[in-house]
Amino acid sequence: MLALAACGREAGPFELRAARFSDLPGWNADAVEAALPAFRRSCAAMAGRSDDAAMNPLERLGHEDVPTLSGTVADWREACLAAEALREAPSPAAARSFFEMQFTPVEVRADGSLFTGYFEPSYPARAQAQAPYTAPVLTRPPDLLTADLGAFKEDLQGQDIVGRVEGDRFVPYPDAETIAADPPEGAEALAYIDPNDLLFLQIQGSGRLVFEDGSVLRAGYAAKNGRAYVAVGRTLVRDGAMALEDVSMQSIMAWLRSASPEDAARVRHSNPSYVFFRPLTLADDALGPLGAQGVQLTPGRSLAVDRRFHAMGAPVFLATERTEENPAYARLMVAQDTGGAIRGPVRGDVFFGAGEAAAEAAGTMNAEGRLFVLLPQRLAARLLDAQV
């Protein structure tokens, strides 16, 4: 349901509540040991950072005297060392004991909770444009620049804009329709795929490009053009092409494939956001692509979150409500990715992996639920004391 995710509410006020592990729905039934390798990979990514570095420099609670939800790197060192001390394949009891001894669950409460899914797709590709494979998977163009607004004005810390220089002016980067018609100079084509497949590759942020000879290129997110993401599912609902309750990844793709080329292009280009890619060389083929934290994603255990509120590497327990399409989902995960449509403190996107089963699960997941962040005990105590 990533194609509809932007229909959710923007981030608003939220509150934090201390919880016990017994308060987490389904905690005792979950195989929490499966999340431990993902947490270790996150610890390795933060190992080289200084102790006083903010775990999440984008986070804001709105009060200067309140410590951030994620604290500093130093707050997480002890938990990371304890995770490394466990043997490679700890027993389920040992893994559960690790999480319960090192962390305090803190529930994040806010309006507009929404949990969806994403996956690593595979698409047929060609080295040269050949109908229907006419859309290039472009690398980041050299003229695409990101400006850190916080470097110019202190109250804009954590905000940036994307554009390019024209003459003596910094201007917005072209939208998706313009880029499709006239690719930026210097952007190389990694491969050519069906234009509808490119839309979903950009929504997912990564994927496998499968060539005629069976060779595979894993493409990962490199940059985006800075334009606001617009859900194409919203476009189809607005145009009366389908009802809101019928929108899914599968129904959107079916509509695009049955539409005329002109209508399909119009719907695709209603989303002005455009994603550029880079080839990935990954250490473990069994894992997913690199997430925003720079570590490979773990199917079923990596979660994309809003980086304004959550730190990359934080364990989070997700508990969704039962829907007609999905059973209740209760699982310990690790915040390791983000996305343009993931907006809000109680908003998450589950990485389901690769393959048809992952695609089906990701395409149908769309549920409200609860989110518990597992914070190192001393950080949780400071934070909750400051909130009182």
Side-chain angles (χ1 to χ4, degrees):
M1 287 295 289
L2 265 174
L4 263 191
C7 295
R9 297 182 185 179
E10 281 293 308
F14 66 95
E15 67 172 312
L16 307 174
R17 290 194 178 183
R20 297 168 298 183
F21 281 95
S22 58
D23 297 327
L24 277 54
W27 169 258
N28 289 326
D30 183 33
V32 299
E33 68 276 8
L36 191 53
F39 180 66
R40 281 204 198 99
R41 282 187 280 274
S42 285
C43 285
M46 70 177 79
R49 301 179 64 194
S50 63
D51 280 353
D52 60 355
M55 276 288 287
N56 180 7
L58 300 185
E59 184 183 66
R60 294 290 180 270
L61 285 184
H63 302 284
E64 294 182 1
D65 58 330
V66 176
T68 66
L69 176 59
S70 307
T72 65
V73 171
D75 291 317
W76 294 80
R77 293 282 192 215
E78 183 178 337
C80 284
L81 289 173
E84 278 302 312
L86 288 177
R87 62 180 185 269
E88 263 320 291
S91 67
R96 191 177 305 279
S97 177
F98 160 75
F99 285 110
E100 292 179 351
M101 292 292 292
Q102 291 293 328
F103 299 101
T104 296
V106 175
E107 184 173 9
V108 183
R109 292 193 171 188
D111 291 336
S113 75
L114 179 63
F115 297 97
T116 51
Y118 69 119
F119 72 109
E120 184 183 17
S122 294
Y123 296 118
R126 299 291 183 269
Q128 303 295 328
Q130 172 189 343
Y133 311 107
T134 57
V137 180
L138 295 176
T139 61
R140 177 175 182 154
D143 65 345
L144 187 150
L145 302 172
T146 300
D148 178 4
L149 298 181
F152 298 89
K153 197 171 181 181
E154 188 173 352
D155 61 359
L156 296 177
Q157 288 289 332
Q159 300 182 46
D160 55 40
I161 55 174
V162 176
R164 66 183 180 184
V165 175
E166 291 184 358
D168 60 352
R169 299 179 62 228
F170 188 69
V171 300
Y173 212 77
D175 62 16
E177 184 173 9
T178 303
I179 293 172
D182 185 19
E185 186 175 348
E188 300 179 2
L190 296 176
Y192 291 84
I193 64 177
D194 183 285
N196 296 323
D197 289 343
L198 178 61
L199 170 68
F200 281 90
L201 177 66
Q202 292 183 323
I203 290 173
Q204 300 298 330
S206 62
R208 304 181 187 211
L209 308 180
V210 184
F211 294 90
E212 284 183 289
D213 62 0
S215 61
V216 177
L217 172 65
R218 294 182 80 170
Y221 173 92
K224 57 184 177 181
N225 64 344
R227 301 282 182 154
Y229 175 84
V230 173
V232 295
R234 176 186 295 175
T235 301
L236 292 171
V237 171
R238 181 199 65 198
D239 292 351
M242 65 178 66
L244 177 61
E245 59 270 20
D246 294 332
V247 175
S248 69
M249 180 182 65
Q250 290 84 354
S251 66
I252 293 172
M253 180 58 83
W255 188 94
L256 290 170
R257 294 203 186 285
S258 66
S260 68
E262 295 76 18
D263 284 343
R266 175 185 57 80
V267 170
R268 292 195 305 268
H269 295 151
S270 68
N271 174 27
S273 178
Y274 192 94
V275 174
F276 299 97
F277 294 89
R278 61 189 177 95
L280 296 179
T281 301
L282 301 174
D284 190 339
D285 283 339
L287 296 176
L290 298 176
Q293 194 185 15
V295 302
Q296 283 189 258
L297 302 177
T298 302
R301 295 293 171 175
S302 292
L303 187 71
V305 296
D306 189 337
R307 294 189 74 167
R308 294 174 299 169
F309 303 97
H310 301 287
M312 295 289 97
V316 289
F317 190 81
L318 169 63
T320 69
E321 299 176 6
R322 180 185 178 90
T323 67
E324 289 185 7
E325 295 81 12
N326 296 107
Y329 193 87
R331 182 168 290 195
L332 179 63
M333 311 189 77
V334 183
Q336 294 179 317
D337 205 4
T338 190
I342 312 305
R343 308 285 288 179
V346 192
R347 176 74 176 90
D349 211 25
V350 176
F351 176 66
F352 280 98
E356 292 184 8
E360 181 66 24
T364 58
M365 185 166 182
N366 181 42
E368 296 181 353
R370 301 169 70 185
L371 187 69
F372 299 84
V373 182
L374 272 57
L375 296 178
Q377 291 183 352
R378 283 179 293 206
L379 171 61
R382 291 204 316 268
L383 175 64
L384 293 167
D385 286 345
Q387 186 177 254
V388 174

